[in-house]
Amino acid sequence: CPDQKGLVSGISSFIYRHGGNILQSDQYTDVEAGIFLARFEFHLAGFQISADQIVAQFHPLAQQFGMKFELHFSDHVPKIALFASRLPHCLEDLLQRQQAGEFKAEIALVLSNHPDLSPIASRSGVPFMHFLITSENKKQQEAEEKRELESRGIELIVLARYMQVLTEDFIAGYPNRIINIHHSFLPAFVGAKPYHQAFLRGVKLIGATGHYVTMN
C-alpha cells in the first residue's frame, strides 16, 4: 500500500485485539515509489475470528490504508509441477528434499520436453509427461500442457533446469506462480555455457537467483 503513518501499528493491533500472537513480521519501504510492503505471520491458536472470516474482518482496515493484501494458511499443501529437460540434478534435488520433508508440497507432476528423466520421476512415484516442443508447435503444446496442469489442480510450477523460454500466453495463465532458479551470472554471461564464460573472465564469486517468471 502507499507508505503512511500507522501501518505497522494498525496491522499488529488488529492481530492483538483478536487474540493472535505474531510469530514473525517483515516490513520494507520503497522510498522512491512511496510503497510499503509487509508480511505478518501469526498463530491462529486462540484467535477469535474464524479462518473463513478473517479477510472480511480485516477489509475495513485495508480500505482505510488502501492496502492490497492476501491471506494464506500454513497448513495448506500446494500441488506443484516440476518442469525439467535433460539435466537431472535439479529435479533429483527437489524430489529428494520433498521426500525428506524439507519443504511442504505435493509434487503432482514432472513435465519435460524430453523423455530422458522419466525413470527419475518413476522412482519417486511421480507421474511424468513428455511434450515434444519445436518452434512450430510450441503454442499448441503449451496449450495442451495448461489443460493437463489444470486437470491436475496444479497451483505452482518450478522450472528445474527447464531449457525452454515460456511464451507470454503460458505465463499469463500462471501469474506469479512460476518459479525459476538460475545462476547469478545473468545478465553478464548469457547462453548455454555461462560458467565457462565466467571462468575465462576470472570471476571468483558465484551464486543463484530465484524469481517469479515474467515476460521481462
Side-chain angles (χ1 to χ4, degrees):
C1 63
D3 188 35
Q4 56 204 286
K5 294 177 181 178
L7 290 167
V8 175
S9 172
I11 298 168
S12 56
S13 294
F14 172 84
I15 297 170
Y16 169 72
R17 284 199 320 271
H18 296 98
N21 180 37
I22 295 173
L23 303 174
Q24 184 177 345
S25 66
D26 296 292
Q27 300 95 41
Y28 173 74
T29 301
D30 185 328
V31 177
E32 271 190 35
I35 294 175
F36 172 84
L37 304 103
R39 179 183 182 275
F40 284 81
E41 182 179 351
F42 62 98
H43 210 293
L44 280 179
F47 201 61
Q48 296 156 2
I49 305 174
S50 62
D52 61 343
Q53 289 296 312
I54 296 174
V55 168
Q57 294 282 337
F58 186 75
H59 193 66
L61 184 70
Q63 278 192 314
Q64 177 187 338
F65 288 107
M67 294 178 185
K68 292 180 181 177
F69 74 96
E70 295 178 354
L71 178 69
H72 301 275
F73 297 98
S74 60
D75 60 353
H76 173 65
V77 180
K79 280 190 173 183
I80 71 173
L82 304 180
F83 280 34
S85 289
R86 282 193 167 122
L87 292 173
H89 56 287
C90 292
L91 176 63
E92 288 179 326
D93 182 77
L94 288 168
L95 288 168
Q96 288 170 10
R97 288 178 187 275
Q98 188 265 348
Q99 289 163 9
E102 289 190 24
F103 67 92
K104 190 165 59 174
E106 177 189 344
I107 298 176
L109 179 66
V110 173
L111 189 149
S112 179
N113 58 322
H114 295 283
D116 308 46
L117 303 182
S118 174
I120 295 174
S122 180
R123 283 200 302 271
S124 296
V126 178
F128 179 89
M129 298 200 72
H130 169 225
F131 288 86
L132 176 66
I133 294 178
T134 66
S135 55
E136 290 78 25
N137 75 357
K138 189 166 191 170
K139 285 203 169 185
Q140 293 87 344
Q141 288 291 71
E142 283 192 345
E144 289 295 325
E145 289 173 351
K146 283 173 71 176
R147 276 191 281 273
E148 192 62 44
L149 294 169
E150 288 165 6
S151 73
R152 294 171 183 266
I154 299 297
E155 300 168 69
L156 183 72
I157 297 167
V158 179
L159 306 182
R161 194 72 177 176
Y162 184 62
M163 304 304 288
Q164 286 284 322
V165 177
L166 300 172
T167 65
E168 187 170 4
D169 287 344
F170 189 90
I171 294 170
Y174 287 87
N176 299 321
R177 291 195 291 151
I178 306 172
I179 294 177
N180 189 27
I181 303 167
H182 61 71
H183 59 82
S184 60
F185 296 140
L186 292 175
F189 302 106
V190 298
K193 294 188 174 182
Y195 291 95
H196 299 71
Q197 298 174 54
F199 177 78
L200 291 173
R201 287 289 297 273
V203 173
K204 302 287 191 299
L205 191 67
I206 65 172
T209 297
H211 59 88
Y212 287 101
V213 176
T214 67
M215 281 310 297
N216 289 334

